[in-house]
Amino acid sequence: MQFSEEKLAKVKEIIARYPEGKQKSALLPVLHLAQEEFGGWLSTEAMDYVASLLQLEPIEVYEVATFYSMYNLKPVGKYTFEVCQTGPCMLRGSDDIIEYIKQVLNINVGETTPDGMFTLKTVECLGACGYAPMMQMGKHYREHLTKQKVDEIIAECRRNAAAGN
Amino acid sequence: MGRKLLLEKAHVPGIRNYDVYRREGGYAAVEKALKTMTPDEVTEQVKKSGLRGRGGAGFPTGMKWSFLAKPEGVPRYLVCNADESEPGTFKDRYLMEHIPHLLIEGLIVSSYALGSNRTFIYIRGEYAWIVDILEQAIAEAKQNGWLGKNILGTGFNCEIYVQRGAGAYICGEETALIESLEGKRGNPRIKPPFPAVKGLWDCPTVVNNVETLAAVVPIINLGGDEYAKIGVGKSTGTKLISACGNINKPGVYEIDMTISVEEFIYSDEYCGGIANGKRLKACIPGGSSVPILPANLLLKTAKGETRMMNYESLSDGGFQTGSMMGSGGFIVLDEDQCVVRHTLTLARFYRHESCGQCSPCREGTGWMEKILHNIEYGKGKMSDIDLLWDIQRKIEGNTICPLGDAAAWPVAAAIRHFRDEFEWHVLNRQECLTRNYGLANYATPLPITA
């Protein structure tokens, strides 16, 4: 398990942001890189690799990885739907959207479809309350969700996957 | 139409790019501050402006800056808090997405005032695409000589870095943010020592919200005294309000704090009224942590005065009959909404986000969620309402950081103002599964004239 040259250069660049000896500060950004590089989740092996890279004890990495909700500690599907369910989204119908996705994908919250394509998660407020209901998919937000929009997003994902993207 | 200082240029085409921003008068505050003012003079202007922290606490920014310790030979840091996570709040995101250079400009001026040569923007991890926008703006600023070494030939050096969080509301608390920036779990620190003395890597540190730091730009351009003339009383300048919930025009609005709550909700310039022709039931005016108010207390204070959109008026009456400006996250509930269900989602949020350090918060937030869940799903007892009240009282004030208070207040206010809605759930266990309480008896909203 090893970062690409490009990622290693990025790690170096991140460490240089902090004063000498404070490379532990790079832990959160480097865990994000690791999750990107190693299939969308952080295995123990990946966390140990990050620890060695930043000269930390493995436990320093585990305790951080388990604290923050964006680090996946088990494998996820190719596309993860992270649907907000907090108050402002609830007021605009997020409960219905979550139910609809469960029904369409035939999975429960926290599960992945058998083909490994989709994972459904519920999340707490993502700061898009004025554009509710919403979900995060990868790097971007999908906002003003309706059932029709959910259908379109699922179709888009399947198209992209079929095209090898 | 109110005066705009932050978003005035936000819709100029291409304003995200340096050239357009500069052409529109951008970076004049950096020139003015670095070339004609000492760092202390910049701080003095911020003090005079009366600017209060826009993240939620409303603490005077100039005073916070003046607490910064300046021991010889020890670096000082400015950290911009872009961990916007309070439910109902999405104003910083709007500012960073639309006019990122305003934040960068504010950061350079503020870094100069505080003597920070290495400044960080700590942004919530989910705002991943905004990291790219900010890094692009920083690169452009650097190419054009506003960042780097010996800026404008003044000998002042400054670099700005963007650090992504990874999903934790608690990291919006300044000491938890510092812990996170050091690569640790976001556990808040016991204060004192305050960050102004012992912050990032044990060095003196100031942590300010995005909107606060952006507001430094108009303060320097106008002068602190002129800025202070905008607004009313101790609510000086302009405030970004992010409005959401059951309104016709959710979005981010810049107000000058002289308008009434009624105008803000019903005027077409702002929220445009309640969606689908419904009536207003309740509102949380300053982000999920602040007390919810029923419509009558929202629009008028207990004394019968018109409630205004500013710090003083929103908190008029204390927690008994008032609320808070908070972060400016304005959440509106229409007549069809269930206060118990809404409070349950907030309780779930705080249980999820408690760092687990202090037992009143760790255990109490879990209990509150479970009890609210029971009441909402027709399994509640009358005594549960008193139990909820008791638990929130035992969390408030008994934790290291304000998350405990933030979790307690929404539950307390919901019971204080909507107790009969909770009781109705207990008395109508089947009916509450199929319909909501509506406006019923708790408080008859005033007739709306607007």
Side-chain angles (χ1 to χ4, degrees), chain B residues 133-397:
Chain B
I133 294 172
L134 291 173
E135 286 185 337
Q136 170 77 22
I138 291 167
E140 289 177 342
K142 196 166 176 177
Q143 274 160 24
N144 288 281
W146 304 103
L147 281 169
K149 290 216 158 52
N150 192 22
I151 301 167
L152 304 181
T154 59
F156 174 61
N157 306 330
C158 186
E159 298 288 350
I160 299 175
Y161 301 107
V162 185
Q163 175 104 353
R164 247 179 102 192
Y169 168 73
I170 190 60
C171 292
E173 195 278 336
E174 60 180 7
T175 61
L177 187 155
I178 290 169
E179 287 282 301
S180 182
L181 189 44
E182 292 182 359
K184 303 176 198 157
R185 296 163 74 93
N187 288 344
R189 296 175 180 175
I190 293 172
K191 296 192 259 192
F194 288 91
V197 176
K198 217 174 165 192
L200 181 59
W201 303 306
D202 286 345
C203 298
T205 303
V206 166
V207 182
N208 281 141
N209 169 261
V210 169
E211 184 188 349
T212 310
L213 291 164
V216 170
V217 174
I219 288 169
I220 295 306
N221 285 334
L222 296 170
D225 289 329
E226 277 305 303
Y227 182 91
K229 286 180 191 163
I230 302 161
V232 58
K234 286 182 179 167
S235 297
T236 62
T238 61
K239 175 84 188 84
L240 298 183
I241 305 290
S242 58
C244 62
N246 309 114
I247 47 176
N248 279 317
K249 289 170 59 192
V252 177
Y253 300 99
E254 183 170 7
I255 62 164
D256 71 2
M257 296 196 264
T258 61
I259 62 167
S260 69
V261 175
E262 184 165 347
E263 184 186 349
F264 184 69
I265 294 178
Y266 290 98
S267 148
D268 282 338
E269 195 184 327
Y270 303 107
C271 303
I274 308 301
N276 305 314
K278 301 280 182 186
R279 284 182 299 170
L280 170 66
K281 178 174 182 176
C283 173
I284 300 178
S288 62
S289 305
V290 311
I292 188 171
L293 289 177
N296 54 349
L297 282 175
L298 175 74
L299 302 178
K300 291 226 191 294
T301 67
K303 288 176 269 177
E305 289 163 2
T306 301
R307 180 93 65 186
M308 308 298 288
M309 290 289 287
N310 62 51
Y311 289 93
E312 288 74 28
S313 187
L314 284 170
S315 58
D316 187 280
F319 277 10
Q320 283 308 307
T321 59
S323 185
M324 277 172 78
M325 170 68 98
S327 62
F330 196 86
I331 310 169
V332 177
L333 281 71
D334 72 23
E335 60 189 281
D336 291 343
Q337 303 303 329
C338 174
V339 169
V340 176
R341 189 171 186 80
H342 192 257
T343 309
L344 166 62
T345 73
L346 300 184
R348 183 182 58 213
F349 173 84
Y350 290 108
R351 190 265 303 152
H352 185 261
E353 302 300 342
S354 173
C355 81
Q357 245 188 150
C358 312
S359 40
C361 175
R362 181 187 61 238
E363 305 300 323
T365 52
W367 274 96
M368 291 198 301
E369 186 197 354
K370 279 181 204 154
I371 296 167
L372 280 161
H373 192 274
N374 281 346
I375 297 174
E376 167 65 10
Y377 287 94
K379 293 179 202 143
K381 299 193 289 277
M382 232 16 132
S383 61
D384 284 344
I385 303 171
D386 294 323
L387 183 58
L388 262 182
W389 183 265
D390 189 50
I391 294 169
Q392 65 81 19
R393 290 268 300 168
K394 285 174 176 152
I395 300 173
E396 188 191 9

Side-chain angles (χ1 to χ4, degrees), chain A residues 10 14 16-20 22 24-29 32 36 60 62-64 66-71 85-88 90-92 95 122 124-131 134 136 138-141 143, chain B residues 77 87-90 93 118 120 124-129 132 135 161-168 170-171 180-187 201 244-247 250 331-333 337 341-342 345 348-349 352:
Chain A
K10 184 75 189 165
I14 291 168
R17 295 171 180 175
Y18 317 109
E20 190 76 27
K22 303 294 183 193
K24 182 168 178 175
S25 281
L27 181 51
L28 271 74
H32 279 304
E36 262 172 54
E60 294 178 90
Y62 305 158
E63 65 175 11
V64 163
T66 52
F67 184 85
Y68 296 93
S69 64
M70 291 184 76
Y71 300 127
Q85 58 172 353
T86 314
M90 185 276 282
L91 294 174
R92 307 285 296 204
D95 291 349
T122 53
E124 300 296 343
C125 191
L126 296 188
C129 319
Y131 323 108
M134 64 79 62
Q136 179 152 32
K139 194 172 178 177
H140 294 277
Y141 285 5
E143 298 170 330
Chain B
Y77 295 104
T89 315
F90 49 101
R93 163 189 172 183
R118 205 191 296 251
F120 292 91
R124 68 176 301 171
E126 293 90 345
Y127 285 174
W129 75 99
D132 297 343
E135 286 185 337
Y161 301 107
V162 185
Q163 175 104 353
R164 247 179 102 192
I170 190 60
C171 292
S180 182
L181 189 44
E182 292 182 359
K184 303 176 198 157
R185 296 163 74 93
N187 288 344
W201 303 306
C244 62
N246 309 114
I247 47 176
I331 310 169
V332 177
L333 281 71
Q337 303 303 329
R341 189 171 186 80
H342 192 257
T345 73
R348 183 182 58 213
F349 173 84
H352 185 261

Side-chain angles (χ1 to χ4, degrees), chain A residues 133-151:
Chain A
M134 64 79 62
M135 68 177 182
Q136 179 152 32
M137 194 177 89
K139 194 172 178 177
H140 294 277
Y141 285 5
R142 300 300 180 102
E143 298 170 330
H144 299 293
L145 291 180
T146 57
K147 289 176 184 175
Q148 191 195 340
K149 241 183 170 164
V150 167
D151 288 340

Side-chain angles (χ1 to χ4, degrees), chain A residues 82-99:
Chain A
E82 298 177 277
V83 191
C84 177
Q85 58 172 353
T86 314
C89 273
M90 185 276 282
L91 294 174
R92 307 285 296 204
S94 60
D95 291 349
D96 291 345
I97 295 294
I98 294 165
E99 277 311 307

